[in-house]
Amino acid sequence: MLYKGLIEKYREYLPVNAKTPVVTLNEGNTPLIFSEDLSHELGLKVYLKFEGLNPTGSFKDRGMTMAISKAKEKGATTVMCASTGNTSASAAAYAAKCGMKCAVLIPDGNIALGKLAQAMIHNAKVIAIRGNFDDALNLVKTITEKYPIELVNSINPFRIEGQKTAAFEICDSFGDAPEFHAIPVGNAGNITAYWKGYKEYHSAGKSKTLPKMLGFQAAGSAPIVLGHVVDKPETIATAIRIGNPASWKPALAARDESAGLIDAVTDDEILSAYKRLASGGVFTEPASAASVAGILQLHKKGFFDHVKGSRIVCTLTGHGLKDPNIAIKNVGQPVTLNADIKEILKEVGL
Ligand code: AN7
């Protein structure tokens, strides 16, 4: 049967009705890739939920199909969000799909080029503000409270509803939940959404168990780990450069109810995991690699010593092509040679 996107697939678990105009780009249905490399090192069965293969290249599309469909249902004509990049790319695309206007506030100078290009080409009104993501989100909250504009950040509950379907897909693939689920944490909407999804599927009898949720923030932007707001968040993983997450409390609930943890990984650990994933054929953006950096760090501490053979899923939240600059910066430029077979063969090592 033709795949029509996650709203049609999981309609009975979502707050939509026959009258909801479904705005979709056929998001969801992303692959769970088995990693031989990581499984071998950790003594676990490691799967990568590659959300970079959504229509705009990140998991945000799952929430955006819901948020835009519900905005359309209530007659909204304009949507707005603050973004470190992926939310704006997704909002712009889904708004374009259904003829809505979209305005986005981004932190000036701190968003990956691919994400900026996406928001611009889909005709969003892109405003770079002199401030960080947290400043931008505060502005968007104030504006959307006062004016007839729909807010499509993850404090919009429909975003969480759409994003929870990733947990459904994982349970449908395995016939149960995995033992562990590792995920990057920025504004903390996604860890909240996964946990909601796992709990709902469990209640519906679709899975027998619940996973332990393992969340990872970048060390320079780790408010939840530190227990206080970070005024000047820093990290090379610009997607998760967030100092005051909107879904802070539900993220703590996900951590505690699942008997999991939320920890920090350094930029060096993130870059190392980023390069390692790419060396294994999977190109994610740096923020996405935080989930893998996190489990490698836990492995070194002996965290998995008594649970060998368990199944663990790492969410890879966005595609590596979002940020080509950081890739080139970390691996260097190609060699340039004359158009000469001898020179080429020598370079290839033949
Ligand atoms: C690749 O686009 O916040 O913890 O404004 O783009 O649910 O915020 C992006 C977040 C992880 C963190 N990985 O997810 C935005 C934005 C990638 C991301 C996260 C983001 P949340």
Side-chain angles (χ1 to χ4, degrees):
M1 210 174 61
L2 202 64
Y3 181 76
K4 290 188 190 158
L6 61 83
I7 293 182
E8 292 308 342
K9 170 93 190 193
Y10 294 110
R11 181 172 270 277
E12 63 190 292
Y13 298 94
L14 295 169
V16 289
N17 58 54
K19 293 202 187 105
T20 310
V22 174
V23 182
T24 180
L25 292 164
N26 291 24
E27 57 297 312
N29 198 22
T30 56
L32 256 183
I33 304 168
F34 182 70
S35 169
E36 288 83 1
D37 166 41
L38 293 168
S39 297
H40 180 72
E41 175 164 342
L42 274 66
L44 302 169
K45 297 188 198 84
V46 183
Y47 291 84
L48 309 169
K49 180 69 171 161
F50 194 16
E51 290 290 283
L53 292 186
N54 275 297
T56 77
S58 87
F59 73 98
K60 303 287 181 182
D61 295 342
R62 291 183 184 273
M64 211 51 77
T65 184
M66 275 298 301
I68 299 287
S69 296
K70 294 303 281 187
K72 194 83 182 162
E73 182 179 340
K74 85 184 229 201
T77 57
T78 309
V79 296
M80 190 173 204
C81 65
S83 183
T84 57
N86 280 324
T87 301
S88 60
S90 186
Y94 283 79
K97 181 72 161 54
C98 69
M100 276 193 200
K101 277 191 205 154
C102 174
V104 305
L105 297 195
I106 55 168
D108 187 26
N110 278 294
I111 109 164
L113 189 62
K115 302 173 187 179
L116 181 62
Q118 288 179 289
M120 301 289 295
I121 200 76
H122 293 308
N123 301 316
K125 177 61 86 180
V126 179
I127 301 158
I129 60 150
R130 294 186 191 95
N132 60 31
F133 170 83
D134 305 287
D135 302 322
L137 184 56
N138 284 334
L139 287 164
V140 168
K141 277 195 226 163
T142 307
I143 293 167
T144 53
E145 270 163 25
K146 288 201 185 136
Y147 297 91
I149 301 176
E150 270 317 281
L151 174 151
V152 293
N153 279 104
S154 58
I155 40 178
N156 176 331
F158 297 123
R159 283 274 315 277
I160 305 293
E161 291 297 318
Q163 285 172 212
K164 76 184 179 189
T165 60
F168 295 169
E169 288 177 11
I170 292 165
C171 294
D172 284 342
S173 299
F174 293 139
D176 203 349
E179 276 89 348
F180 297 96
H181 189 112
I183 184 166
V185 175
N187 215 20
N190 215 23
I191 190 171
T192 302
Y194 270 91
W195 183 235
K196 187 169 197 286
Y198 279 124
K199 282 196 299 188
E200 285 182 11
Y201 239 38
H202 187 246
S203 301
K206 295 283 228 171
S207 59
K208 293 180 281 300
T209 59
L210 288 164
K212 289 184 167 55
M213 299 300 298
L214 311 174
F216 298 98
Q217 300 199 289
S221 307
I224 298 178
V225 181
L226 297 169
H228 61 76
V229 171
V230 175
D231 287 332
K232 293 199 164 43
E234 278 308 337
T235 168
I236 46 116
T238 52
I240 52 173
R241 188 173 173 271
I242 295 174
N244 188 12
S247 297
W248 193 319
K249 278 198 187 133
L252 291 180
R255 178 193 71 185
D256 298 339
E257 288 171 24
S258 75
L261 55 80
I262 297 180
D263 231 321
V265 286
T266 65
D267 280 4
D268 282 350
E269 287 174 307
I270 288 173
L271 281 176
S272 159
Y274 165 76
K275 286 190 269 187
R276 179 162 177 174
L277 282 164
S279 298
V282 180
F283 191 21
T284 68
E285 59 174 293
S288 308
S291 55
V292 170
I295 67 166
L296 286 168
Q297 187 196 79
L298 290 179
H299 168 63
K300 284 197 194 103
K301 292 181 192 159
F303 182 86
F304 299 114
D305 285 356
H306 303 292
V307 291
K308 293 289 174 202
S310 296
R311 218 155 27 193
I312 182 164
V313 173
C314 297
T315 298
L316 301 182
T317 43
H319 204 287
L321 288 171
K322 294 268 186 179
D323 197 348
N325 297 333
I326 203 155
I328 295 291
K329 208 169 138 191
N330 277 278
V331 291
Q333 301 286 333
V335 288
T336 305
L337 302 176
N338 293 317
D340 174 89
I341 289 182
K342 269 195 199 139
E343 281 188 39
I344 294 166
L345 291 179
K346 192 172 164 225
E347 181 64 27
V348 178
L350 293 169

